[in-house]
Amino acid sequence: MNSRRDFLQKIAASAITLPFMPLSGWAQAPAPYDGPVLRVAIMGLGSYANRVANAMQSCTKAKLVGVISGTPSKVQDWQGRFGIPAKNCYNYDNFDRIKENQDIDVVYVTTPNALHRDQVIRVAAAGKHVICEKPMALNAKEGEEMIAACKKAKVQLLVGYRMHFEPKTLEVIRMRQNGDFGKVLFFQGQCGFKIGDPTQWRLNKQLAGGGAMMDIGIYAINGSRYMIGEDPIWVTAQETKTDPVKFKEGVDETIQFQLGFPGGAVASCLSTYNMNNLDRFFLNGEKGFAELQPSTGYGPIKGRTHQGELTQPHTTHQTVQMDEMAGILLEGKRPVVAVDGEEALKDLKIIDAIYQAVKTGKKVALTV
Ligand code: NAD
């Protein structure tokens, strides 16, 4: 039984040990952050915008301060939920006026893929930095135009590659850079889910620019590059379509593709809108392996290597992403894996080549 005396004795005993405890043993409240804060406006108040906005509530360095939407009722709802002042609310007709708004640093574009190009170019012309969701554009040509527009306007263009800040992913990258896997020989990226509603924009070529490849296959493309640490030099690809009514001309249902890397590694990847439980990366080298499953979902990401389980803690991806992007945009920080327009352009060039390989049935050489 715990008596008051026991309690006092315990206190006394611990007091004796106090001077010898290392300082790091104390639970210290982190010093309040008093650095610069990135003031963000979100464009396109759909499902992902909501996820980003909610995650940003836990950010230290980024704050949601504005919205751009074509739906007044959504704007009103967001104003109430996130305390956004009326002067920071815009629609698609008048958002060029954001140029005059000194309280917004960056616009985060979370609209359907086909709108990214023009919207990013308009935001850049308004003199604001841009974060654009993936895929950055429908093809490499559009991506190049966006990069050029941002350069001309002297604003930065970042892309929402949230996995580039994910701790288990970064640990695998660190191990690879450290030589723990030896020479990397093989990567497998399996990315897909069974898509529902056939009327959604993701299945509309005009708005999506393609099918599963633009949406989920891009994770395998991007993942192959950050896991292997090189950019591919060739691609081959094969398409399978089981439902040509749901997946119309130009909307890919399932594509298998292979990538060759300059160091000799090959990647074998699957992109699909017709299978669930596909979210797995596997990296193999001469001395070891890494496996992430799930590998790119919202998490927690799980994984192991030949050295054992990966135990890095999970934090909401979009919270970490926005804090890190604040560091990039406001303090010139450099991420371990780039998240800029040039990085996204590489993925677009690979997507172009994959579609070309599907069409021609030939191996396509690549320079990204
Ligand atoms: P969504 O359909 O839920 O939202 C899209 C928003 O854009 C809606 O609010 C819609 O009203 C608006 N919109 C503006 N103009 C439109 C038009 N002409 N047609 C249709 N909608 C229009 O889609 P989402 O899932 O939020 O995806 C948006 C973007 O975010 C896509 O590029 C997608 O690839 C990307 N995304 C990224 C992640 C990630 O993990 N990084 C996850 C989901 C989506």
Side-chain angles (χ1 to χ4, degrees), residues 212-227:
M213 185 62 64
M214 302 302 287
D215 189 28
I216 190 80
I218 191 170
Y219 284 96
I221 295 171
N222 191 251
S224 74
R225 295 176 42 241
Y226 63 68
M227 295 283 278

Side-chain angles (χ1 to χ4, degrees), residues 46-48 74 113 116 133-134 162 201-202 219 298:
S47 140
Y48 198 63
K74 279 195 204 168
N113 311 341
H116 293 176
E133 254 319 309
K134 46 58 54 180
R162 60 187 161 77
W201 68 260
R202 280 182 167 78
Y219 284 96
Y298 297 136

Side-chain angles (χ1 to χ4, degrees), residues 313-324:
H314 170 72
T315 312
T316 303
H317 295 174
Q318 294 80 6
T319 306
V320 182
Q321 176 200 318
M322 293 310 291
D323 270 340
E324 291 294 326

Side-chain angles (χ1 to χ4, degrees), residues 26-245:
W26 291 95
Q28 289 179 339
Y33 177 74
D34 64 354
V37 170
L38 185 73
R39 297 161 307 169
V40 183
I42 297 195
M43 179 185 294
L45 307 182
S47 140
Y48 198 63
N50 271 280
R51 187 175 286 276
V52 171
N54 287 325
M56 258 205 281
Q57 302 309 296
S58 309
C59 280
T60 312
K61 297 181 171 184
K63 185 171 163 38
L64 175 66
V65 299
V67 291
I68 298 118
S69 167
T71 315
S73 58
K74 279 195 204 168
V75 173
Q76 219 179 6
D77 172 46
W78 277 57
Q79 281 192 266
R81 281 161 62 207
F82 301 110
I84 294 164
K87 70 173 192 58
N88 289 355
C89 298
Y90 297 87
N91 61 42
Y92 293 106
D93 295 326
N94 69 15
F95 78 78
D96 309 273
R97 279 197 232 142
I98 216 163
K99 190 181 186 118
E100 294 132 36
N101 193 326
Q102 298 307 308
D103 298 330
I104 294 172
D105 302 308
V106 62
V107 174
Y108 194 152
V109 175
T110 60
T111 52
N113 311 341
L115 309 179
H116 293 176
R117 176 197 172 275
D118 288 2
Q119 289 169 342
V120 164
I121 291 175
R122 273 176 74 184
V123 171
K128 301 294 178 187
H129 297 305
V130 203
I131 302 170
C132 180
E133 254 319 309
K134 46 58 54 180
M136 181 170 82
L138 300 190
N139 51 52
K141 182 176 170 289
E142 283 193 1
E144 275 159 1
E145 290 164 359
M146 294 155 83
I147 291 170
C150 290
K151 262 194 195 131
K152 189 173 162 213
K154 297 192 170 53
V155 297
Q156 292 195 57
L157 169 59
L158 304 184
V159 177
Y161 286 123
R162 60 187 161 77
M163 299 316 298
H164 293 199
F165 306 107
E166 196 283 317
K168 293 188 181 77
T169 303
L170 288 174
E171 174 59 10
V172 173
I173 291 168
R174 187 200 65 75
M175 287 178 69
R176 190 245 305 140
Q177 287 170 339
N178 195 43
D180 293 1
F181 305 121
K183 184 176 158 59
V184 172
L185 299 170
F186 181 68
F187 171 79
Q188 197 174 34
Q190 298 164 333
C191 297
F193 62 93
K194 204 168 171 69
I195 198 159
D197 179 10
T199 65
Q200 63 186 289
W201 68 260
R202 280 182 167 78
L203 296 173
N204 174 341
K205 161 93 171 150
Q206 251 55 51
L207 283 171
M213 185 62 64
M214 302 302 287
D215 189 28
I216 190 80
I218 191 170
Y219 284 96
I221 295 171
N222 191 251
S224 74
R225 295 176 42 241
Y226 63 68
M227 295 283 278
I228 292 175
E230 294 175 12
D231 295 326
I233 49 174
W234 58 257
V235 52
T236 48
Q238 309 81 37
E239 180 173 13
T240 313
K241 195 172 281 199
T242 64
D243 187 346
V245 177

Side-chain angles (χ1 to χ4, degrees), residues 186-189 227 280-284 289-292 304:
F186 181 68
F187 171 79
Q188 197 174 34
M227 295 283 278
R280 180 174 177 269
F281 283 181
F282 179 71
L283 184 74
N284 206 13
F289 71 90
E291 182 182 46
L292 297 173
R304 66 193 176 111

